[in-house]
Amino acid sequence: LNSFIVSNKKINHSFGEFVEEGIATCGFWPVPNDTIPLIANLTRKELFQQLKQHEQFNIGPPDDRRSHGASQVSMWLKATVVGSFVIMRHVYPKCKFFPSWLKVDSGEYIGPVYVIGVVTEKIMPGSTKEDEIMSRNICLVDWKRVGKIDDLQEATISYIS
């Protein structure tokens, strides 16, 4: 999971917030009301096709539309279940958004790091709970472990990068 990373600016907007609040999401694009009742019966590919018909899921100028939002949301809604593992990383030492617990007493960044969590609740679009927390496509996550990326095997580093 990339927690709102902007790689060309080397910032990670939501890593700290996701861990501290026990949440994860692929984005806050609201699923259109006409699509919500179809989610359970559509395949991931069909859901992707349905979502990309909506403007908010098509990013970029008119001559270069990318349906990144539709791809991420369809994957998240179809593949994520309670018990799924979520891996998130933080690799930007100068990111102004990283949480204080990623620093040692001297103020030095301890990363790059990864966290592993388990989805404990999946909050579906259109649900009462979604309205209560005013969020979209969110899962509650029990973050279990923080580790240093440099301590992982090369194949694992390549997989999560």
Side-chain angles (χ1 to χ4, degrees):
L1 174 71
N2 289 327
S3 50
F4 304 115
I5 289 175
V6 182
S7 57
N8 64 338
K9 294 183 180 179
K10 300 197 180 313
I11 58 175
N12 187 329
H13 285 277
S14 298
F15 179 89
E17 184 178 7
F18 282 14
V19 173
E20 291 162 8
E21 298 297 326
I23 62 171
T25 183
C26 64
F28 293 103
W29 298 283
V31 174
N33 288 334
D34 66 337
T35 303
I36 291 171
L38 305 175
I39 294 170
N41 296 321
L42 295 176
T43 66
R44 178 178 164 193
K45 186 176 182 177
E46 291 167 336
L47 181 57
F48 167 73
Q49 295 297 329
Q50 177 75 18
L51 291 172
K52 78 177 196 172
Q53 294 175 34
H54 296 275
E55 187 64 28
Q56 73 262 31
F57 292 100
N58 294 296
I59 302 165
D63 60 337
D64 185 26
R65 290 279 191 219
R66 292 181 214 99
S67 47
H68 173 75
S71 174
Q72 294 300 307
V73 170
S74 62
M75 177 181 66
W76 188 257
L77 290 174
K78 297 307 285 187
T80 307
V81 296
V82 171
S84 294
F85 286 95
V86 180
I87 300 172
M88 191 170 52
R89 62 194 164 87
H90 193 287
V91 298
Y92 302 128
K94 297 195 186 302
C95 174
K96 62 184 177 182
F97 299 105
F98 77 74
S100 60
W101 51 268
L102 286 182
K103 296 180 197 175
V104 292
D105 291 338
S106 67
E108 185 180 341
Y109 177 66
I110 65 167
V113 299
Y114 66 91
V115 291
I116 298 175
V118 178
V119 172
T120 58
E121 185 176 351
K122 183 176 178 180
I123 300 169
M124 292 300 289
S127 69
T128 316
K129 187 140 192 178
E130 181 193 48
D131 290 341
E132 289 172 15
I133 61 174
M134 298 182 67
S135 191
R136 308 279 186 232
N137 312 318
I138 198 167
C139 287
L140 303 184
V141 177
D142 182 10
W143 296 104
K144 300 283 190 183
R145 176 180 167 85
V146 177
K148 292 189 174 189
I149 289 177
D150 294 342
D151 294 340
L152 298 171
Q153 294 181 353
E154 281 300 317
T156 305
I157 293 171
S158 175
Y159 178 75
I160 68 171
S161 295

